[in-house]
Amino acid sequence: YFIALDVQPGTARRVVELAGRAGVTLTPAGAPFPGGIDPLDRTLRIAPSSPSIEQLGRAAEVVALCVRLAAAERLVSLFSHPPLELPA
């Protein structure tokens, strides 16, 4: 079995990277798509091997935090451009 999770567009690969750095290995971002290429970089397929309920709970918390962090990073990057110069 697996779980499909759609995250904020443009963040799925970052979520996988962050989770891996935290010790949780995820299926590569875009895995459900032909050739593994998700044009929106938003779909994760989570395929738990055989974790205990406790391990699954901890992994779910890590993934949730990584989703939030990746989304926050994305939003900051979208809104951190220099202010527009308005004509006088």
Side-chain angles (χ1 to χ4, degrees):
Y1 67 93
F2 64 89
I3 301 163
L5 174 63
D6 284 340
V7 297
Q8 181 176 352
T11 65
R13 288 179 302 210
R14 180 67 174 146
V15 170
V16 171
E17 177 187 350
L18 290 168
R21 290 172 62 184
V24 175
T25 303
L26 297 177
T27 305
F33 288 84
I37 299 170
D38 176 357
L40 297 178
D41 186 27
R42 75 172 193 175
T43 302
L44 299 172
R45 179 167 54 191
I46 302 170
S49 45
S50 3
S52 67
I53 295 298
E54 183 179 305
Q55 290 171 321
L56 187 60
R58 274 193 252 135
E61 288 178 15
V62 168
V63 170
L65 288 171
C66 293
V67 167
R68 292 176 70 185
L69 178 56
E73 289 175 346
R74 175 89 170 138
L75 289 173
V76 166
S77 75
L78 292 174
F79 292 104
S80 63
H81 54 78
L84 296 174
E85 294 291 327
L86 299 177

